[in-house]
């Protein structure tokens, strides 16, 4: 009996001990879970704070993370080829460890176009506006969303983001032509980006000397690739656009064929001038003032000249110098009776230079990237580009092409040094500044004897570099003769009103009538009404183009006519069917669409 009671007491003690251990274990487990949850909440709060550091926009970190985990990454692109494609992504991520973009796949992921392995042939898209350059390709890696469990917690970028490559941020021509102008109109193309986008530059360059120009595109601070490492190992862009529009570029740099204007230029001077006007407003340039401490040097002015017209000369300080710059200035002042202002990128702020150029009547400069500032010149101004000895102006035309865009309304001329004795060469310089001593003796002799640099591909042709880095003594008589002719042309252009760039609409009510005269003769009369928009326009030169084609034949007979009806008898055969097209032409080169084809039976 006693033994039974003792056993009972032992069993009860064991039971109580077991219960106590279970309770303690449960409490410890609960405490561990609470601690783990607290850690996760603290980590999410920290990540949300990191996201907040990137943007003033607030983000619910938990909601963003859940959206990424459930929906994955999404992509919808425009454009058929990698060279004209821009893609919008939801939750595109970037791993700073792998230096790769990551597309997280879920059952809800959208990927249009779904190219499969074809997106590696050669790339999904170009990150730069420079077409099909193998250093500018964009692609991404793919991972299932489940992989997020094993990866660092992402930092989310809540801003709408434009992801691109700058092509060469040390060179003003490339900055404007390849980066700023394409980015400006890409942001106009998508309402999410207009004015408030976060720009992210992925090419790996540092800021460069003109980073403030990129800041003009958005109120938000741009990010470099190196900045992304500072915000975390995994960054996810809640909404991003990748790539740049190429519609605003007008020049190709000679990677496949010698440099020159693009085969299909789609931009006009109107778009370039709107871009320039926007940048000037953001630089607080509202009026032209030649005064103050940052105006450039007014070298000389004719005291008796009341005109406010002046010439701007770009002065270079290290290479490609105008050796007799003071004589050039004096000749312009004396012979053209105009003030001369010299400006220098090395000595003045860029906005102050733009302010001076924006009111100039003429811009004079040696060939170089600084001439891209001609896009800030007023309409009717003259661009004068100087070329060293042996460099053919017709082979290097980025600024001529810009000035010649319809709507830019600039008059471009080039001057070329044709006298070898007026040049100073530097064969002993480093190769990137035109030195040739690293070449074989035979190649050095060939380059020194050459009178013109042959057409070549980009970018390290030693003969081109040797000649373009020469200093030049400008021949004053030939130079001034060119300038006087340019000013005369400019004056005659100013007397003429700017020609319309409006295209005609379709001609209306086109119809045809036929009559048979004899078994061998017939007549075909075609008439039409003027395009609807013509009655609202003042157009000096209106013509009509008529094409007549015998049915079944491959050739047609074209006619340019001044009136709205005409009777054709030559080459018109009886009992024959003719197809007739009619369209309107303004000012010889502004073509309207053809009206619907007429079928006319004689």
């Amino acid at each position: 009996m006693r033994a039974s009671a003792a056993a009972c007491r032992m069993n009860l003690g064991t039971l109580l001990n077991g219960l106590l251990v279970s309770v303690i274990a449960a409490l410890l487990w609960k405490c561990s879970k609470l601690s783990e949850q607290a850690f996760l909440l603290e980590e999410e709060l920290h990540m949300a704070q990191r996201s907040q550091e990137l943007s003033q926009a607030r983000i619910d970190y938990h909601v963003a993370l859940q959206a990424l985990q459930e929906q994955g990454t999404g992509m919808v692109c425009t454009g058929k080829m990698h060279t004209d494609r821009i893609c919008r992504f939801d939750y595109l991520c970037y791993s700073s460890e792998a230096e790769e973009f990551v597309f997280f796949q879920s059952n809800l992921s959208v990927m249009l176009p779904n190219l499969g392995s074809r997106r590696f042939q050669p790339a999904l898209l170009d990150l730069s506006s420079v077409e099909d350059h193998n250093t500018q390709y964009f692609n991404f890696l793919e991972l299932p969303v489940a992989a997020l469990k094993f990866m660092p917690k992402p930092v989310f970028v809540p801003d709408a983001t434009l992801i691109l490559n700058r092509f060469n941020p040390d060179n003003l021509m490339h900055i404007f032509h390849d980066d700023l102008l394409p980015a400006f109109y890409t942001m106009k193309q998508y309402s999410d980006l207009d004015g408030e986008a976060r720009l992210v530059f992925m090419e790996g360059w540092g800021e460069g000397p003109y980073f403030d120009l990129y800041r003009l595109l958005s109120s938000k601070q741009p990010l470099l690739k190196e900045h992304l490492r500072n915000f975390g190992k995994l960054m996810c862009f809640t909404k991003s656009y990748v790539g740049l529009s190429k519609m605003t570029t007008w020049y190709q740099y000679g990677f496949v064929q010698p440099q020159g204007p693009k085969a299909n230029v789609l931009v006009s001077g109107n778009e370039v001038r709107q871009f320039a006007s926007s940048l000037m407003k953001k630089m607080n340039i509202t009026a032209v003032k030649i005064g103050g401490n940052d105006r450039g040097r007014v070298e000389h002015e004719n005291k008796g000249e009341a005109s406010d017209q002046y010439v701007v000369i770009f002065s270079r300080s290290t290479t490609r110098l105008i050796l007799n710059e003071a004589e050039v200035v004096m000749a312009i002042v004396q012979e053209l009776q105009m003030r001369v202002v010299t400006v220098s990128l090395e000595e003045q702020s860029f906005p102050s230079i733009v302010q001076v150029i924006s009111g100039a009547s003429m811009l004079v400069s040696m060939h170089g990237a600084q001439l891209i500032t001609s896009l800030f010149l007023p309409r009717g101004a003259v661009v004068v580009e100087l070329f060293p000895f042996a460099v053919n102006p017709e082979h290097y035309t980025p600024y001529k092409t810009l000035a010649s865009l319809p709507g830019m309304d600039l008059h471009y001329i080039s001057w070329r040094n044709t006298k070898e004795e007026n040049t100073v060469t530097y064969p002993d310089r480093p190769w990137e500044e035109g030195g040739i001593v690293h070449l074989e003796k035979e190649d050095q002799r060939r380059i020194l004897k050459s009178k013109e640099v042959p057409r070549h591909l980009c970018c390290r042709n030693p003969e081109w570099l040797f000649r373009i880095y020469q200093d030049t003594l400008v021949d004053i008589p030939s130079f001034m003769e060119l300038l006087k002719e340019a000013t005369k042309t400019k004056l005659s252009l100013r007397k003429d009103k700017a020609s319309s760039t409006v295209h005609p609409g379709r001609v209306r009510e086109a119809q045809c009538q036929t009559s048979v005269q004899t078994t061998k003769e017939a007549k075909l009369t075609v008439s039409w009404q003027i395009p609807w928009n013509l009655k609202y326009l003042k157009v000096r030169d209106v013509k009509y183009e008529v094409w007549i084609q015998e049915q079944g034949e491959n050739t047609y007979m074209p006619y340019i006519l001044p009136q709205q009806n005409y009777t054709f008898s030559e080459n018109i055969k009886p009992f024959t069917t003719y197809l007739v097209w009619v369209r309107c032409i303004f000012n010889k080169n502004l073509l309207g669409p053809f009206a619907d084809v007429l079928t006319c039976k004689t």
Side-chain angles (χ1 to χ4, degrees):
M1 191 73 177
R2 289 177 181 174
S4 176
C8 185
R9 284 195 297 271
M10 287 179 63
N11 288 338
L12 183 61
T14 303
L15 180 62
L16 290 172
N17 285 335
L19 286 171
L20 183 61
V21 169
S22 297
V23 169
I24 292 172
L27 289 171
L28 288 172
W29 180 84
K30 184 74 172 177
C31 184
S32 172
K33 284 296 179 182
L34 287 171
S35 177
E36 183 181 343
Q37 189 174 6
F39 174 77
L40 290 173
L41 287 171
E42 187 177 346
E43 189 177 22
E44 285 193 5
L45 181 62
H46 174 68
M47 291 302 173
Q49 288 173 342
R50 299 308 302 273
S51 299
Q52 195 71 28
E53 290 175 22
L54 279 167
S55 173
Q56 295 301 313
R58 295 193 174 188
I59 185 167
D60 187 322
Y61 185 86
H62 181 73
V63 170
L65 182 60
Q66 188 175 9
L68 174 60
Q69 291 170 335
E70 292 178 357
Q71 300 173 21
T73 306
M75 178 190 84
V76 177
C77 303
T78 59
K80 293 183 178 180
M81 305 293 292
H82 73 279
T83 52
D84 64 352
R85 190 173 288 139
I86 296 175
C87 295
R88 174 191 159 148
F89 288 87
D90 294 320
Y91 294 102
L92 176 68
C93 298
Y94 178 75
S95 168
S96 57
E97 286 183 311
E99 295 192 348
E100 295 278 4
F101 284 94
V102 183
F103 187 107
F104 285 104
Q105 287 275 13
S106 80
N107 293 332
L108 300 177
S109 289
V110 172
M111 186 186 290
L112 288 175
N114 198 329
L115 298 171
S117 61
R118 285 177 294 160
R119 69 179 173 87
F120 305 112
Q121 301 172 359
L124 177 65
L125 54 82
D126 292 335
L127 267 178
S128 164
S129 69
V130 177
E131 187 169 312
D132 205 21
H133 194 289
N134 60 10
T135 65
Q136 308 297 317
Y137 291 156
F138 170 84
N139 243 312
F140 52 76
L141 300 178
E142 294 175 79
L143 284 175
V145 290
L148 283 165
K149 297 177 182 178
F150 311 102
M151 300 181 73
K153 287 288 184 183
V155 174
F156 289 98
V157 181
D159 306 313
T161 304
L162 178 60
I163 299 172
L164 65 144
N165 275 4
R166 298 173 298 166
F167 190 70
N168 182 356
D170 289 339
N171 181 287
L172 273 177
M173 167 65 186
H174 290 294
I175 288 170
F176 276 89
H177 179 267
D178 307 333
D179 304 342
L180 296 180
L181 193 54
F184 179 82
Y185 278 105
T186 300
M187 293 166 74
K188 292 286 187 188
Q189 192 172 341
Y190 301 98
S191 59
D192 293 341
L193 298 176
D194 194 2
E196 293 298 322
R198 174 83 64 183
L199 275 70
V200 179
F201 304 129
M202 295 303 302
E203 77 291 327
W205 291 67
E207 287 190 353
Y210 301 105
F211 199 63
D212 281 346
L213 292 174
Y214 294 97
R215 291 189 175 101
L216 298 175
L217 293 177
S218 172
S219 61
K220 296 176 180 173
Q221 175 71 8
L223 295 177
L224 301 177
K225 185 178 181 180
E226 65 186 46
H227 294 156
L228 304 187
R229 301 188 188 97
N230 301 329
F231 291 102
K233 294 183 178 180
L234 185 65
M235 292 187 67
C236 294
F237 302 92
T238 56
K239 184 188 296 181
S240 60
Y241 292 80
V242 182
L244 282 178
S245 169
K246 298 180 175 68
M247 288 190 291
T248 60
T249 58
W250 62 83
Y251 206 72
Q252 58 83 20
Y253 300 121
F255 298 115
V256 177
Q257 59 185 8
Q259 65 169 274
K262 288 176 63 176
N264 186 23
V265 177
L266 301 176
V267 68
S268 78
N270 295 327
E271 291 77 41
V272 175
R273 287 195 173 278
Q274 283 189 40
F275 160 77
S277 176
S278 176
L279 256 59
M280 287 174 65
K281 287 179 182 176
K282 291 180 180 181
M283 288 187 282
N284 295 317
I285 300 173
T286 55
V288 179
K289 295 178 182 178
I290 304 302
N293 296 326
D294 209 14
R295 63 176 182 159
R297 298 190 305 276
V298 181
E299 299 286 1
H300 292 277
E301 55 184 299
N302 189 308
K303 302 298 183 182
E305 181 63 38
S307 172
D308 60 353
Q309 295 189 11
Y310 60 92
V311 177
V312 172
I313 295 182
F314 259 109
S315 183
R316 297 173 64 102
S317 62
T318 53
T319 60
R320 218 174 304 159
L321 306 180
I322 299 174
L323 295 172
N324 56 338
E325 185 177 298
E327 291 179 54
V328 171
V329 169
M330 188 63 72
I332 294 173
V333 171
Q334 291 178 346
E335 298 192 38
L336 297 186
Q337 301 291 297
M338 296 172 72
R339 290 178 296 158
V340 176
V341 182
T342 61
V343 295
S344 168
L345 289 170
E346 292 86 359
E347 298 177 6
Q348 292 158 254
S349 69
F350 188 79
S352 71
I353 291 174
V354 170
Q355 180 148 13
V356 173
I357 288 174
S358 67
S361 298
M362 184 181 295
L363 177 62
V364 179
S365 174
M366 291 297 295
H367 173 79
Q370 68 279 355
L371 269 167
I372 192 64
T373 57
S374 59
L375 61 83
F376 294 105
L377 283 167
R379 297 181 189 276
V382 179
V383 181
V384 185
E385 185 173 10
L386 283 63
F387 287 85
F389 177 76
V391 179
N392 188 336
E394 293 303 313
H395 296 172
Y396 311 96
T397 60
Y399 313 111
K400 178 181 180 181
T401 307
L402 168 62
S404 304
L405 292 176
M408 277 307 291
D409 299 326
L410 297 175
H411 181 49
Y412 173 92
I413 56 173
S414 62
W415 176 89
R416 176 182 182 180
N417 178 24
T418 57
K419 298 180 178 181
E420 193 167 5
E421 64 270 21
N422 283 358
T423 192
V424 177
T425 60
Y426 298 93
D428 296 328
R429 280 180 174 169
W431 70 265
E432 63 270 19
E433 294 181 6
I436 57 173
V437 290
H438 63 290
L439 300 175
E440 298 290 338
K441 294 293 184 183
E442 183 178 342
D443 289 330
Q444 293 184 43
R445 285 192 291 270
R446 175 183 56 79
I447 290 173
L448 290 168
K449 287 182 179 179
S450 174
K451 304 301 181 186
E452 182 171 310
V453 178
R455 299 297 296 268
H456 57 88
L457 297 180
C458 189
C459 296
R460 297 186 176 184
N461 182 281
E463 189 168 346
W464 152 252
L465 292 172
F466 174 70
R467 290 302 184 185
I468 201 59
Y469 280 108
Q470 299 169 106
D471 295 338
T472 301
L473 190 73
V474 174
D475 178 66
I476 299 296
S478 65
F479 177 70
M480 289 311 304
E481 183 180 351
L482 192 71
L483 260 58
K484 288 176 183 177
E485 190 62 35
T487 53
K488 288 179 185 176
T489 306
K490 179 189 172 185
L491 288 172
S492 66
L493 287 172
R494 290 180 107 184
K495 292 176 183 177
D496 296 332
K497 291 183 179 180
S499 60
S500 171
T501 56
V502 176
H503 288 258
R506 292 175 184 268
V507 299
R508 296 172 300 145
E509 301 176 24
Q511 56 186 338
C512 60
Q513 294 179 333
T514 61
S515 61
V516 175
Q517 307 299 309
T518 68
T519 55
K520 294 184 179 181
E521 295 181 7
K523 291 184 178 181
L524 170 61
T525 300
V526 183
S527 62
W528 56 89
Q529 297 299 314
I530 65 171
W532 177 81
N533 64 337
L534 181 55
K535 62 183 179 180
Y536 299 103
L537 300 172
K538 293 181 179 180
V539 183
R540 298 175 184 175
D541 185 15
V542 179
K543 295 284 194 302
Y544 297 94
E545 185 174 19
V546 179
W547 293 4
I548 300 177
Q549 181 184 53
E550 185 177 336
Q551 192 171 52
E553 298 293 326
N554 293 324
T555 58
Y556 61 86
M557 297 174 288
Y559 301 88
I560 302 294
L561 306 171
Q563 67 268 36
Q564 293 163 237
N565 62 78
Y566 193 81
T567 298
F568 303 90
S569 57
E570 188 177 352
N571 298 320
I572 303 298
K573 298 183 289 189
F575 314 113
T576 304
T577 299
Y578 291 95
L579 304 178
V580 180
W581 294 265
V582 184
R583 68 176 170 185
C584 185
I585 305 174
F586 289 171
N587 300 324
K588 299 181 181 179
N589 60 355
L590 295 172
L591 306 177
F594 280 109
D596 293 339
V597 61
L598 300 174
T599 302
C600 311
K601 297 180 180 179
T602 58

